[in-house]
Amino acid sequence: MKLILLGPPGAGKGTQAKRLFDRHHLIQLSTGDMLRAEVASGSALGAQAKQVMDAGQLMPDAIVISMIEKRIEQPDCKDGFVLDGFPRTEGQATALDSMLAKHNAKIDGVIELAVDEAALVERISGRYACAKCGAGYHDTFQKPKVAGVCDSCGGTDFTRRKDDNAETVKARLVAYRQQTAPILPYYKGKGLLHQVDGMAELDEVTTAIEQVLTKIKA
Ligand code: AMP
């Protein structure tokens, strides 16, 4: 199954994408993670990405489209994937359809995590992740069972994203509103859009996504 998770920063796309991997082995394709890996590698692309990400803006379509195209062609994506953070513009959405059509494939469903924008700044500024395995946590909403120790791998080092500060989050929300939200009608018109309440408890969101998957498979 090929899915897209759509929603503003902090809606829970990354967390739910990881759960979709655990439950259905759908490969998580996160352009944000790919760009952060470029930044960490010190490449020229990483240097450009760092500036754009720190400003809360979007990378050029051509760059992220080619990153996704290369990744989707790898064998592990053959049985299904979940796109997390892509597409983010109309140009990316239409390019995705064309690249899948070349392989006689198509998107099976688009799940929008609908959230209350006012709550997002608090949600995002409290989040952090295990430096070793990437498991996500939150200062208020999702603490590790033992303080300072990752539930998943026992790691004790944690990181916070540099673009998870209030000022950058506001710019990221503007980018979402102006450039990404307009693609919702594109998918609605194709009958692919399913809305899930992203403000519900994590497990309830997962259950609602499972119900959507059942509907898509029927
Ligand atoms: P994310 O981890 O999805 O919140 O992405 C972090 C940042 O990476 C975004 O604020 C953008 O600067 C950049 N980025 C990630 N995905 C895309 C995309 N599909 N198109 C353009 N920029 C992106």
Side-chain angles (χ1 to χ4, degrees):
M1 186 173 304
K2 297 174 179 64
L3 295 177
I4 297 173
L5 280 179
L6 266 180
K13 301 185 295 295
T15 304
Q16 296 300 334
K18 285 186 177 60
R19 290 184 173 198
L20 282 164
F21 176 77
D22 293 341
R23 297 165 89 99
H24 301 283
H25 211 79
L26 297 177
I27 305 292
Q28 178 187 9
L29 300 179
S30 158
T31 38
D33 284 351
M34 293 175 199
L35 291 167
R36 281 184 284 279
E38 286 291 338
V39 175
S41 79
S43 67
L45 173 59
Q48 180 191 358
K50 185 177 175 342
Q51 277 194 348
V52 171
M53 290 162 95
D54 286 353
Q57 291 166 355
L58 295 186
M59 286 292 281
D61 280 354
I63 291 177
V64 285
I65 289 167
S66 120
M67 273 179 7
I68 281 292
E69 185 152 27
K70 279 189 207 131
R71 186 65 188 89
I72 278 179
E73 282 167 0
Q74 286 169 24
D76 63 333
C77 289
K78 223 176 72 220
D79 295 332
F81 54 76
V82 52
L83 287 158
D84 157 15
F86 181 96
R88 260 178 155 100
T89 64
E90 284 173 343
Q92 293 176 24
T94 49
L96 174 65
D97 283 347
S98 318
M99 74 176 84
L100 291 175
K102 277 194 240 162
H103 303 279
N104 284 325
K106 58 174 183 45
I107 292 296
D108 299 297
V110 179
I111 301 175
E112 179 197 0
L113 296 177
V115 287
D116 167 14
E117 264 201 27
L120 287 180
V121 177
E122 188 200 0
R123 255 201 193 192
I124 297 177
S125 45
R127 68 185 186 178
Y128 60 98
C130 171
K132 198 167 150 200
C133 75
Y137 296 99
H138 192 280
D139 291 330
T140 316
F141 309 123
Q142 206 197 353
K143 301 178 186 178
K145 290 190 186 88
V146 178
V149 182
C150 174
D151 295 346
S152 304
C153 75
T156 51
D157 282 339
F158 295 88
T159 55
R160 284 178 197 262
R161 280 173 49 172
K162 189 158 182 278
D163 59 348
D164 277 353
N165 63 77
E167 195 193 333
T168 309
V169 169
K170 283 183 192 142
R172 289 161 67 197
L173 286 173
V174 170
Y176 180 79
R177 236 180 280 131
Q178 292 181 346
Q179 294 174 82
T180 307
I183 66 180
L184 292 167
Y186 175 76
Y187 289 117
K188 190 164 187 204
K190 288 172 174 279
L192 290 175
L193 188 66
H194 304 264
Q195 203 183 59
V196 160
D197 176 12
M199 297 307 290
E201 291 290 320
L202 271 184
D203 290 347
E204 285 173 35
V205 178
T206 303
T207 305
I209 289 176
E210 289 299 317
Q211 285 164 354
V212 171
L213 296 198
T214 307
K215 226 195 300 181
I216 293 173
K217 281 183 199 156

